[in-house]
Amino acid sequence: MGEVLEVSSTPITPRPAAPISAPPTQFNSPSLSRSPLLSIDLTETASKAPKTSRTPRFITPLGSPIRKAIHLTKLDPQDAWLPITESRNGNAYYAAFHTLSSGIGIQALVLPVSFTILGWTWGIICLTVAFVWQLYTLWILVKLHESTENGMRYSRYIQLICATFGERLGKWLALFPIMYLSGGTCVALIIIGGSTSKIFFKILCAATCTAKPLTTVEWYLVFTCAAVVLSQLPNLNSIAGLSLIGAITAIGYCTLMWVVSVTEGRIDGVSYDPEPANSNITRIFDVLNALGIIAFAFRGHNLTLEIQATMPSDEKHPSHVPMWRGVKLAYLLIAMCIFPLAILGYWAYGLKIPANGGMLAAMYHFHSRDTSRFLLGLISLLVIINGVSSFQIYGMPMFDDMESKYTKRMIKPCPWWLRSVIRAMFGFGCFFVAVAIPFLGSFAGLIGGIALPVTLAYPCFMWLKIKKPKQYSTMWWLNWGLGISGMALSGVLIAAGVYVVIDTGIEVSFFKPH
């Protein structure tokens, strides 16, 4: 912040003052605490300003376009204390790494299962529509991250929805789905990573190994310990390397699976004709289940604003430009993985693809004898590494939320030892849930239906509320249509989840993971 001082011993001919260039306005996050670090009042500042032009440049008349947002801006100290906003030196590459790591994973491996119900034509149509739909809502979130009206950056999904619909309604709508998408995903990663670690050990040892294998719970513990050690990295930017590793491994095992399936050829007796349902109701709920599989394959929208928050932003260089560049690259690679995986996986296995585990289970079931142990072991290893890496980015919003409780109360950053304890408690808490409630996956459809609006519906309603497009314009119709459709889809998926739980029952086996 420079100052302009003019000193002269005798007044001669007055000279016009040199123009002062105004730096771009910084966008700031909404205050998370009751005592913001700085609250600027233009009237008070102007009345106290000395005549020797000690006024900051951004309050000068030439800087007035910078302006109407400044008197509302509050610089919250917690932004510099919390994991998501502690570092703001991200770029388009970091955005691509994080988006890839959070946007593709194990859930994509069950996409061929949806084709067994929908068939070729409707399977491809529904997958394409879902891909375009969620990419559009992702663009909405990227554009809404920063507001030129009030100079605010909404660095967390919960902040944006509370600013749009009010704090009480916003938390009621989104708090549980967001916590589930973070904490629930971490629990699922422990279950999948631990189980795959057990398979990896068997592949390495085969029949010649004399070492005593670990139990399933012990493999869960090994995976959790690795995840907890890596979770000590301080903030979202610091795990960019891990996200890159997670992205590479996800692309690796997705590609290897469909390549191996195509190379080995279609299995004997493959069929593509869906089996007739016992009743119309059963058929309807099967279709809804297939749509749910496709919808849940696209996750990570609850992390979009957090990823964008790691970038610097001002009016001349808004963060949505590099963020969208990174997102486009990430989703190009995601499309190159999920479409061949779904289509070619269904081509290779047809109706015989295992409903539990999808492509991963099919690889071990159909190709354990005719595929090299090295290749099967490599796929397992890539799944494990991807799980450990993805755990970090999905756990970060939970770390941020827990640490914010301390910073709000103590008005100071978390000490390193407390941060380590918090993250270890979260990791082992997820481990406890994975061991104690191994049947949690049976409720995935029901809980997933509740979380679905975070991806497909809420962004559309937030655009309508904030941007206020002209009534009956294309954007008005588009967002109303997609928003209502997303809520309707969520409702029917919840109904389908309840029906499945009641119809099939749940095998309750506490502390007995398979």
Side-chain angles (χ1 to χ4, degrees), residues 177-409:
I178 290 172
M179 293 300 103
Y180 167 74
L181 287 170
S182 294
T185 300
C186 289
V187 171
L189 288 171
I190 290 175
I191 294 173
I192 295 167
S195 303
T196 309
S197 299
K198 186 177 181 179
I199 295 172
F200 179 64
F201 180 80
K202 287 181 179 179
I203 292 172
L204 286 183
C205 284
T208 59
C209 187
T210 57
K212 183 181 178 181
L214 299 178
T215 64
T216 303
V217 174
E218 289 170 337
W219 281 117
Y220 285 7
L221 184 60
V222 170
F223 182 91
T224 304
C225 289
V228 167
V229 169
L230 291 176
S231 70
Q232 302 307 314
L233 291 170
N235 54 60
L236 193 53
N237 261 342
S238 66
I239 65 169
L242 285 177
S243 292
L244 173 60
I245 293 171
I248 292 172
T249 51
I251 293 171
Y253 68 69
C254 287
T255 305
L256 279 175
M257 284 182 187
W258 68 259
V259 168
V260 169
S261 301
V262 171
T263 304
E264 296 293 339
R266 291 186 292 183
I267 62 174
D268 295 334
V270 66
S271 172
Y272 305 113
D273 296 324
E275 296 179 3
N278 297 328
S279 66
N280 290 333
I281 293 182
T282 304
R283 177 62 183 168
I284 290 171
F285 282 113
D286 284 344
V287 171
L288 291 176
N289 181 56
L291 294 177
I293 290 172
I294 292 174
F296 302 148
F298 302 106
R299 62 179 185 179
H301 283 51
N302 61 306
L303 295 169
T304 301
L305 297 173
E306 285 80 351
I307 294 170
Q308 195 170 347
T310 64
M311 298 180 176
S313 186
D314 55 51
E315 285 191 338
K316 286 188 177 179
H317 304 95
S319 63
H320 69 80
V321 176
M323 179 66 185
W324 185 239
R325 193 181 304 133
V327 166
K328 286 189 292 186
L329 173 61
Y331 272 86
L332 174 64
L333 295 173
I334 289 173
M336 292 169 63
C337 288
I338 63 171
F339 280 92
L341 192 70
I343 296 170
L344 297 176
Y346 182 55
W347 173 85
Y349 307 111
L351 300 181
K352 292 188 177 182
I353 189 163
N356 239 349
M359 290 292 287
L360 187 61
M363 290 296 300
Y364 297 129
H365 183 72
F366 295 112
H367 304 300
S368 57
R369 294 182 180 179
D370 53 10
T371 303
S372 67
R373 280 197 301 149
F374 171 78
L375 198 55
L376 291 175
L378 177 60
I379 291 173
S380 301
L381 182 61
L382 292 176
V383 170
I384 296 165
I385 295 173
N386 173 256
V388 175
S389 304
S390 299
F391 187 96
Q392 310 310 317
I393 190 166
Y394 272 93
M396 199 59 71
M398 300 297 294
F399 303 155
D400 187 87
D401 182 68
M402 290 187 288
E403 290 179 30
S404 71
K405 303 289 193 300
Y406 176 87
T407 58
K408 282 181 184 179
R409 185 176 182 84

Side-chain angles (χ1 to χ4, degrees), residues 133 136-137 140 456-464 479 482-483:
W133 187 350
Y136 171 71
T137 56
I140 287 178
L456 299 182
Y458 294 160
C460 300
F461 292 130
M462 288 190 284
W463 182 271
L464 290 166
N479 284 286
L482 292 179

